[in-house]
Each structure stands twice: as C-alpha cells, then as structure tokens.
Amino acid sequence: MTEALRNFIAGEWVGATDATQDINPSNTNDVIGLYPRASVADTESAIAAAKAAFPAWSRSTPQERYEIMNKISIEILARREEIGRMLSREEGKTLAEGIGETVRAGQIFAFFAGEALRLMGETVPSVRPGVGVEMTREAVGVVGLITPWNFPVAIPAWKIAPALTHGNCVVFKPADLVPGTAHLLSEIIAKSGIPSGVFNLVNGRGTVVGETLLRHKDVQAISFTGSVNTGRRVALAAVEASPMKKVQLEMGGKNPLVVLDDADLKIAVECAVNGAFFSTGQRCTASSRIIVTEGIHDRFVAAMIERLKGITVDDALKAGTHIGPVVDRNQLETDLKYIETGKREGGNLVFGGEVLTRDTPGFYLSPALFTDVPNSATIAREEIFGPVASVTRVKDYDEALAVANDTEFGLSSGICTTSLKYATHYKRNSEAGMVMVNLPTAGVDYHVPFGGRKGSSYGPREQGAYAKEFYTTVKTAYTLA
Ligand code: ADP
C-alpha cells in the first residue's frame, strides 16, 4: 500500500493538496510513498511558526539544546537499519552506504550536542580607559535549509544540527527525490522534545518552497547544497531580498586524483575506484578526473580494468551489490549523454558505460572509465554526477598539479604518492578546500570543516566547530564600568 505522508509545520503533521510519488530507482515498480508538495502558503506558515518560536529557542539554555541534540543522535543511531534501508531504497546507494550515512548523521548530532556546551565568547580590554569589550555569538534567526538528493540524511543533519544547536529556527526543504529519509529524520526531531515551530519540514518543489524561502523577509539565512546553477539563483535571490540574507552554498566539483609513478598501485586503484564510482559517482567529492603520470599510466589503467570487472552493479538493497542504480531517469540520460560526448571528443572508453538489465526495472549503468582524455574535453570540465571517470596522461608531477588545478571547481583533490616531497607540495598548492593524500577524494570526517574554493562553494565552511561561522552572528558589546 502506498502511504501518504505529511509535512511538519508549527509542531503538527499536516497534509498538502498536491503530492508526488517516491520511486525506488532499483525497481521502478516499487512506489515507496506519496509525499506532499507544499504550497507557497504552507511554506509561509512554516516560516511564521519558526519566527514565532525564535525568541524563546534562541534564549534556551545550552543544557536544553544539548539534551535535544543528544536525544536525536541516540534515536538516529538506534534506527540506523530502518533509515539506512529507506535511504538506499529511494536514493539507490547500497545498504551498507545507506546505513553508514545514517550512522554519520547520528554522529553529527552527537558532535553538535557537545557544541551546545562549548559556545564561548571573548572578553578583551578596550583601547579606551575603563571600558570593557565583549564578543559573543548569537543565533541568526530563521534559516532555510535546502538540500540535495545524494546524501539524504547526512547533509540535512550537518545543516539542521548546527542550526538548532546555535539557537536558530529551521525550515527544512529536502530534495524531491528523497522525501522518505527526510520524513524519518524529521519524525525523530519532532519527537525529541523540541518546542513547536523550532523545526519545520516542508517538502515541495524548489521553484515553490525553495523560492518562497529565498524571497521571504522573515528568513535571515539560507544554507544550500545542490547544483551550480541553482546555487547562483540562491545567491542572487539572497542579495536581492530585503533585508539581504546570509548565504552558504555547496555546489559542484570536478575533483582530481593525481597518481604519481611512485604511488602504491593497490592504494591508487582503491582510491580511484572508491572515489570515482562508489555511491554511483553521485557525490560532489567524487574523483571524476584521474591524472596519471606516464611511468605508471598503463599499469594503473590495466589494474583499474581488472578491479572494475569485479564490481557488481545491482539492486541497492541486495547483498553483494557494490554499486546501486543511478538515482533517476533524468540523471541516467545525463550520464549517457556525457558518455557519448566523451567518445565523440576522442576519449577511449576502456570499461563500462553500458545500461544494464537486472531482475527488476531500474536505472543500472556500469561504471564508465575513459582514457586519453585531455583536460580540455567536456567530460573533464563539467560535473557529470554519475559513475563516469576519465584518465588523463601527464608527463610528471608539475604537469599533474597544473592539470589538477585547471578547473573552475575546487572542492576536493587527491594525490597517491609515496613521496613526502610531492605530498607536501601538493597539499600546499592544490587549489581545493580539501586535500587527500593516499585517500579517496570522497569520504570526510564530521568534526572538521567541509567546503571548497572557486566555483564549488560560497560562504563559510560547513561542519565541525567552523559551522558556527554561518549559524551565529557576532555581537561586540562595550561597557564603561
Ligand atoms: P540536484 O541536482 O542535487 O537536484 P538542484 O540544485 O536542482 O540539484 O537541487 C538542490 C535543491 O535545491 C533541491 O532541494 C531542489 O528542490 C532545490 N531547488 C531547485 N530549484 C530551486 C530554486 N529555484 N530555488 C530554491 N531551491 C531550489
């Protein structure tokens, strides 16, 4: 039976007049549920509820916030199988990845429970006699959180947890393709003892719910993760709004993984396969450009092909699946279009890139590996967001670094080498927000900053203690005593 779910506004679960079907990409006959599509008026109700709840919540004690965040964490971890299963069923990453991501969300809430107790201010002497200066952090207000489909529980967690911990009220707008996971997370938050209106879930279209959040005068800040084009719209709307909004954007990547002659071949192959293809390549930190020096190039490509032959693409929930389906038909068509473009522009497709048939109808695509791809090729420049990676052959380290940095993005970047000299130089000179040595470009810790440079990110970093830069505003108070 198809369940019709609701939005959570002002402490109540409410329906909407419009609904959307949530479909399993591993089996398109499996309709997971009917999810509400909120209207402009529904969104405005959520914003009004958040605004009304703000004075009390922003003055709540650190202990109160600690307890709520802690309770949410414990409940997420206790329900990891259920949430992980829902996540894999609607997004298509493997069950192990779905459960792993859910555990991560629980850890994030635990981290921010601690942060509630660690919010410190500073007191300094004034340059004027008899005057004292205090610097404190206060909540920003009502924050709109707009999230993508590829990490349906971790990304919402790393926005919702710091927002609430620092005393803000939240209107959470998840992506259309993953309402089920958002619903389970919201159910847990709703039952945590959080006061009405502090947290609101509003499912719906970006153009309706998202745009209302962007334009509404009572929303003080927007944190967005998604595509570059939408991110730009978000930023423009945030500065056009009156008053202007604080804005934080996490967008695309075209992350390079450099493999040097002196790399440990096994480590390099694991980094490349994991970074490029796990989670079906649908990660903004995926290594879609593998830049390989000529001394190891042929051995590396041969080892990659061997390793890819052992990869199983199948139903995300099936035991033994390494890579689940592509998230939906649109994304599959985009991936196939890029594969065609790659071939047309002279790339050599040495593995995969084929639509696969499995027991159930789904969007199955074998991991595609191209070689002989110049860094100027379309597939080396544009974010694909699928299981498609290209190998670019370079002469030496210097050329590898130049090619790695020759991109409009700058989220994550990796190098596989046994040389301390090159590893150190690369860490210092890579134009990315996150740099990995002998590790995949995807896969980060939750207690340290996450974010990029150039076209990948805009505004302060997310995650860890740095999250407070966005979710608080600094007050400087002077006292003549
Ligand atoms: P993705 O490829 O991850 O879906 P999008 O940028 O299209 O990337 O979507 C990311 C999030 O932004 C989703 O929650 C989506 O609904 C929302 N969104 C899409 N269009 C708009 C818009 N015009 N204004 C605000 N949010 C939007």
Side-chain angles (χ1 to χ4, degrees):
M1 215 188 73
T2 311
E3 209 184 336
L5 293 166
R6 289 169 294 164
N7 285 321
F8 186 67
I9 298 174
E12 304 284 338
W13 289 99
V14 292
T17 47
D18 188 14
T20 178
Q21 281 192 336
D22 185 16
I23 307 272
N24 178 348
S26 299
N27 177 5
T28 53
N29 294 327
D30 176 22
V31 179
I32 300 164
L34 271 185
Y35 289 85
R37 270 193 169 146
S39 62
V40 170
D42 295 330
T43 314
E44 287 171 348
S45 300
I47 297 168
K51 184 185 178 189
F54 181 72
W57 180 248
S58 58
R59 288 180 177 78
S60 59
T61 62
Q63 184 66 21
E64 196 177 332
R65 295 183 209 164
Y66 164 82
E67 278 167 16
I68 289 172
M69 295 307 124
N70 197 36
K71 202 162 169 201
I72 296 169
S73 165
I74 290 167
E75 187 67 7
I76 291 172
L77 293 172
R79 290 171 67 179
R80 66 181 72 178
E81 295 276 338
E82 177 198 0
I83 302 170
R85 183 165 288 274
M86 168 62 91
L87 197 168
S88 299
R89 190 172 159 209
E90 69 178 358
E91 198 272 349
K93 66 180 66 172
T94 65
L95 187 56
E97 289 171 329
I99 294 172
E101 188 187 325
T102 306
V103 169
R104 171 55 58 97
Q107 291 165 333
I108 290 168
F109 274 94
F111 175 85
F112 283 103
E115 281 294 278
L117 302 170
R118 281 191 290 261
L119 193 64
M120 306 288 168
E122 288 174 272
T123 307
V124 296
S126 167
V127 293
R128 288 172 281 170
V131 174
V133 187
E134 290 157 41
M135 289 164 277
T136 51
R137 287 183 180 271
E138 295 182 359
V140 177
V142 175
V143 298
L145 306 179
I146 302 176
T147 57
W149 49 260
N150 65 327
F151 283 94
V153 73
I155 295 179
W158 82 52
K159 294 185 192 295
I160 294 168
L164 296 176
T165 293
H166 293 306
N168 303 282
C169 292
V170 165
V171 179
F172 167 38
K173 189 227 124 13
D176 244 14
L177 292 175
V178 288
T181 311
H183 193 274
L184 290 176
L185 176 64
S186 301
E187 202 178 89
I188 290 172
I189 298 171
K191 284 187 187 153
S192 67
I194 202 157
S196 290
V198 172
F199 170 80
N200 303 273
L201 164 71
V202 188
N203 281 284
R205 293 176 195 273
T207 49
V208 178
V209 178
E211 292 281 346
T212 305
L213 288 171
L214 299 182
R215 313 225 166 262
H216 202 289
K217 66 174 179 23
D218 292 333
V219 175
Q220 278 77 33
I222 299 278
S223 179
F224 165 89
T225 302
S227 62
V228 176
N229 285 342
T230 312
R232 197 177 295 280
R233 279 187 68 81
V234 170
L236 285 171
V239 293
E240 270 169 15
S242 188
M244 292 182 196
K245 299 182 198 315
K246 215 171 167 179
V247 65
Q248 176 181 58
L249 311 174
E250 289 299 342
M251 300 168 288
K254 196 68 199 169
N255 311 292
L257 175 70
V258 168
V259 178
L260 295 186
D261 286 356
D262 66 15
D264 177 317
L265 186 61
K266 208 157 165 255
I267 290 177
V269 168
E270 283 316 304
C271 287
V273 169
N274 176 324
F277 301 120
F278 285 3
S279 298
T280 323
Q282 297 172 155
R283 297 188 282 195
C284 47
T285 48
S287 334
S288 50
R289 296 186 297 137
I290 307 170
I291 300 158
V292 187
T293 48
E294 55 194 11
I296 197 172
H297 179 274
D298 294 355
R299 277 186 296 138
F300 173 79
V301 170
M304 282 292 285
I305 293 170
E306 272 318 297
R307 179 71 176 82
L308 289 174
K309 282 181 189 162
I311 294 278
T312 304
V313 179
D314 207 333
D315 188 323
L317 295 174
K318 231 187 207 174
T321 295
H322 300 116
I323 298 178
V326 171
V327 72
D328 70 352
R329 185 173 304 283
N330 277 344
Q331 185 62 49
L332 178 62
E333 280 168 10
T334 301
D335 297 348
L336 292 171
K337 194 190 76 193
Y338 275 113
I339 290 167
E340 279 316 304
T341 307
K343 288 196 249 181
R344 205 180 52 243
E345 292 184 3
N348 189 8
L349 182 63
V350 292
F351 190 88
E354 286 158 354
V355 173
L356 304 172
T357 306
R358 293 293 178 255
D359 292 346
T360 48
F363 308 113
Y364 298 107
L365 177 64
S366 55
L369 186 70
F370 279 91
T371 60
D372 306 300
V373 178
N375 202 45
S376 55
T378 305
I379 60 165
R381 304 221 70 86
E382 296 179 11
E383 183 176 50
I384 300 171
F385 224 63
V388 184
S390 57
V391 174
T392 300
R393 185 197 298 256
V394 290
K395 192 161 72 331
D396 54 16
Y397 170 77
D398 290 339
E399 189 184 352
L401 176 66
V403 170
N405 284 337
D406 176 19
T407 166
E408 50 184 86
F409 294 103
L411 187 56
S412 182
S413 142
I415 188 166
C416 290
T417 178
T418 51
S419 152
L420 183 61
K421 179 178 121 186
Y422 290 134
T424 306
H425 191 272
Y426 192 79
K427 280 190 279 183
R428 289 198 185 132
N429 292 282
S430 172
E431 295 167 3
M434 298 175 291
V435 186
M436 314 289 180
V437 178
N438 295 322
L439 288 166
T441 55
V444 296
D445 287 2
Y446 61 88
H447 65 311
V448 288
F450 176 95
R453 297 183 185 177
K454 302 201 270 190
S456 289
S457 304
Y458 186 79
R461 290 282 186 266
E462 299 200 83
Q463 302 205 54
Y466 280 66
K468 66 172 162 292
E469 297 303 328
F470 181 72
Y471 292 105
T472 63
T473 180
V474 174
K475 179 173 278 172
T476 315
Y478 297 82
T479 310
L480 175 64

